[in-house]
Amino acid sequence: MTSEQIHPPLRMPDHLFAELAAGGGSPAALTFLEHGERARRLLLLRTALSHISAVPSPLGPSMEAWRALKMAAEQAPEHVERLLLAPQTGGWLAHLLRRVHDTAPGPPLWAEAGHLHVLAVAAALHTELEVDLPVPLVDGTLNLPGLGLARLPGARQGLSIGRARTKAGELELTTPEGDASCVCRPRTMTARGSTAPLDASGALGPGAAQWIPVRVLTHTGPSGTTAIPLDDLGPYRDLDEPIAPDRLDPDEAAAWQELFEEASGLLAARRDPGPGRLDPARIRAIVPWGRTSTTPPPPPVVELSASSGDSFGSMVITRPATGLALAETLVHEFQHSKLAALIHLFPLLDDDREERFYAPWRNDPRHLTGLLHGAYAFTGVAGFWRDRMSEPQHAHVAAYYFALRRVQTRLVVRTLLTSERLTAPGRRLLTGLAHTLDGWLREPVDPTALARARTAAALHRTEWRLRNVVRPRESETGRGSSSLRFRADQSPWRDLRTHAFAHQPATRRTADDHLAAGDPATAVARYADALARDPDEPHLLAGWIVARATLENGRTDRRMLARPELVPPLPNR
């Protein structure tokens, strides 16, 4: 790995692009994407080096760290390649270049550039190379990517400089004054010398352990053991700015392990590649978010998940209560990683970034890039639920989500295909997704689940328009007026129906219950009663419109369903 290497251009074979365009991807296709990410990382690294070499730094010349990294690559290239492709390395490079161009905040630039020294130390430990480098410390800690956190006892808070010496896989970390030091062997996670053994909690408070290893989620399947970092320590594990460690309690970490085993078992049950299928070994990191203990109990679904194109294979996730929900989210976020890697290779569209499109999984208008990411991710999600329909314990709920996501995603694909901003590769990608979804739309689904899915899809679109689209003026209601104007006072709203309609209601207490149970007549009356008390409530009005259209399906009802923002207040009907 050198900045001077010249490689032939990457050329993706047509059959690999076709696999990815269908929403899936064989191991060969995913490996090609990883090769593309490697090439991009090297380009970014070379660009970063050209900038940071001129940054004054108390750490000294950055080329010293670069030479150490190259030496490690020559001795054990597979270890340094893994470090280069680690999600945190991608996050660091992207953030550093944003810092260079003054488009992101952060610590002093020399400290962020000094992460190159940290990478060199981590590489030296992996390859048992002997190095001696200054490194930036935060609150007396040094985070080694893929290994863990070394902490100097008694070191001062804030940003400071330490000295890292490696020999035979052993790390000695000291302050320049020599008033604090620790020695450890990160690769074996065994403390030596003055390093205290890892305490039971892995806490980061006063008196905590001096070596805190990265936790690893494991699953053993027919092809071997999968090990994925559960990263609660790395500064570049988030989507943008560096963040502090947020160590999980042991019980919470154990809960993650249990869920990951369950989720991996579901995913590994399908060996052939295809839309919605994922080999868990392809994931490079899971970042737990929003909770560090098992209390309060987690929700049944994932409340937050996200990923970044800069950090291929990594995903930020709030732990849900079930392995099924986690497995769906792993598929969803890995789809985002695949598409981001494709976008790094091919320009798929020319996006003006104007947020004006309906996305069935969002409560706000989206731009074309967001729409494309959603379409690709939810094609994978639809495929995931399609597979679950053959599993007796999941069949009923799977039928609902498969029916819902296939119709919602096909709507978005149609929107994208009518855009004039697609490139030739972008159009080919969307045509592939359309072919997959059109085939799925012809597949039979349990009638009751299908009915609830269609109703839920209509409810979301109707409420979205009521909350986001401005009612047009009289002069704008003609047939030739198709552009939408959006409310300036948009506020977040919670989608209460998408998951609620997944199950047939056991009892019928609310108008939503009656609508989900296939009784639109009672639902219309219940919604009307509630609207008499609160005529401007979009949630109620959306329910009334959809229930009436389901019940009567006349021309007026279809028009209301298409343009609900034109519907006057209920008392005037």
Side-chain angles (χ1 to χ4, degrees):
M1 185 192 75
T2 73
S3 58
E4 292 81 20
Q5 281 178 323
I6 299 176
H7 296 277
L10 285 168
R11 300 187 185 278
M12 178 178 283
D14 284 348
H15 71 279
L16 297 186
F17 189 95
E19 291 174 6
L20 294 164
S26 64
L30 298 183
T31 298
F32 191 95
L33 292 181
E34 290 175 345
H35 288 165
E37 288 300 289
R38 177 190 182 277
R40 180 175 183 267
R41 296 276 176 90
L42 288 173
L43 287 171
L44 292 179
L45 187 54
R46 184 171 185 173
T47 303
L49 282 170
S50 68
H51 285 288
I52 65 178
S53 60
V55 174
S57 172
L59 299 173
S62 58
M63 294 310 294
E64 184 181 356
W66 175 242
R67 282 191 293 270
L69 197 58
K70 286 169 54 177
M71 288 175 58
E74 290 166 1
Q75 291 196 16
E78 70 281 2
H79 289 301
V80 180
E81 288 289 310
R82 191 159 52 246
L83 193 60
L84 175 68
L85 281 172
Q88 280 210 42
T89 303
W92 164 66
L93 282 169
H95 189 262
L96 177 61
L97 290 172
R98 288 194 290 269
R99 291 294 314 282
V100 166
H101 295 290
D102 293 323
T103 59
L109 187 55
W110 68 262
E112 293 223 70
H115 189 70
L116 182 65
H117 292 234
V118 180
L119 288 174
V121 171
L125 287 166
H126 277 295
T127 57
E128 300 198 351
L129 183 70
E130 189 171 342
V131 302
D132 184 348
L133 289 171
V135 289
L137 303 179
V138 178
D139 297 334
T141 63
L142 174 65
N143 191 289
L144 295 167
L147 295 172
L149 192 74
R151 180 175 184 172
L152 287 173
R156 67 183 178 90
Q157 298 295 291
L159 188 62
S160 63
I161 298 172
R163 197 86 198 175
R165 299 177 180 88
T166 68
K167 185 176 181 180
E170 184 174 84
L171 169 69
E172 180 184 8
L173 183 63
T174 63
T175 59
E177 301 79 11
D179 56 357
S181 66
C182 67
V183 180
C184 55
R185 293 187 63 86
R187 288 194 65 196
T188 59
M189 309 305 181
T190 302
R192 281 182 41 170
S194 62
T195 302
L198 177 67
D199 68 338
S201 67
L204 294 170
Q210 294 171 352
W211 174 250
I212 302 174
V214 167
R215 288 189 170 111
V216 176
L217 299 172
T218 61
H219 169 73
T220 300
S223 58
T225 298
T226 296
I228 307 296
L230 181 66
D231 192 354
D232 54 6
L233 297 174
Y236 296 98
R237 66 188 189 277
D238 193 15
L239 306 182
D240 191 8
E241 300 176 26
I243 57 174
D246 196 17
R247 192 64 164 172
L248 302 181
D249 291 350
D251 288 347
E252 178 69 3
W256 268 104
Q257 173 60 41
E258 183 178 341
L259 281 188
F260 182 74
E261 284 187 288
E262 182 184 347
S264 296
L266 287 169
L267 295 173
R270 305 282 176 164
R271 304 294 297 276
D272 297 332
R277 296 178 183 176
L278 170 64
D279 177 358
R282 291 284 178 175
I283 301 169
R284 291 191 172 266
I286 293 175
V287 178
W289 197 256
R291 51 185 298 123
T292 56
S293 69
T294 54
T295 55
V301 298
V302 173
E303 291 195 328
L304 179 148
S305 70
S307 52
S308 168
D310 297 323
S311 305
F312 181 83
S314 178
M315 45 201 75
V316 176
I317 302 175
T318 298
R319 181 174 71 85
T322 69
L324 181 67
L326 179 59
E328 179 197 15
T329 303
L330 297 179
V331 168
H332 179 129
E333 295 303 333
F334 197 76
Q335 289 287 103
H336 283 303
S337 281
K338 287 162 53 182
L339 183 64
L342 266 179
I343 290 173
H344 292 157
L345 296 171
F346 303 95
L348 299 179
L349 52 80
D350 175 22
D351 191 358
D352 61 7
R353 309 298 289 187
E354 185 177 345
E355 298 189 338
R356 61 183 184 277
F357 297 101
Y358 169 64
W361 36 81
R362 297 278 300 206
N363 295 331
D364 53 347
R366 293 294 280 160
H367 46 63
L368 282 172
T369 300
L371 214 61
L372 177 60
H373 262 283
Y376 199 76
F378 278 95
T379 298
V381 168
F384 170 83
W385 287 115
R386 178 173 176 263
D387 284 341
R388 305 283 83 72
M389 287 197 298
S390 62
E391 300 166 358
Q393 69 273 34
H394 302 132
H396 190 68
V397 70
Y400 167 82
Y401 281 116
F402 172 58
L404 176 68
R405 297 311 188 190
R406 69 181 181 178
V407 71
Q408 289 179 326
T409 308
R410 187 59 179 91
L411 173 65
V412 170
V413 168
R414 183 177 67 183
T415 300
L416 287 161
L417 282 171
T418 59
S419 169
E420 297 179 356
R421 292 183 173 271
L422 290 175
T423 64
R427 186 162 297 280
R428 186 181 173 195
L429 177 75
L430 268 300
T431 301
L433 294 181
H435 180 75
T436 295
L437 293 162
D438 287 343
W440 287 349
L441 283 166
R442 291 190 289 269
E443 294 183 1
V445 173
D446 173 73
T448 59
L450 178 62
R452 291 199 311 278
R454 289 173 172 170
T455 300
L459 285 165
H460 187 278
R461 180 186 177 277
T462 303
E463 187 167 354
W464 182 92
R465 291 187 71 106
L466 290 172
R467 291 184 182 274
N468 290 289
V469 179
V470 174
R471 178 180 171 83
R473 294 184 282 272
E474 290 291 333
S475 60
E476 299 173 331
T477 58
R479 293 182 180 179
S481 178
S482 59
S483 60
L484 300 180
R485 289 189 302 113
F486 293 102
R487 298 172 63 96
D489 60 343
Q490 294 174 24
S491 57
W493 55 282
R494 187 177 180 187
D495 174 19
L496 299 175
R497 288 164 165 146
T498 292
H499 294 302
F501 273 56
H503 302 276
Q504 187 83 1
T507 57
R508 304 182 190 182
R509 296 189 179 90
T510 67
D512 279 359
D513 290 340
H514 286 281
L515 187 56
D519 182 7
T522 304
V524 165
R526 293 287 185 91
Y527 286 128
D529 289 344
L531 283 166
R533 299 185 295 272
D534 192 359
D536 297 321
E537 172 51 52
H539 181 85
L540 297 173
L541 184 56
W544 185 88
I545 291 170
V546 172
R548 177 168 162 168
T550 304
L551 182 65
E552 301 183 14
N553 199 28
R555 183 177 179 181
T556 299
D557 303 292
R558 292 195 299 271
R559 188 183 300 119
M560 285 195 302
L561 201 59
R563 298 288 301 276
E565 67 275 9
L566 299 179
V567 176
L570 187 60
N572 295 336
R573 293 191 190 97

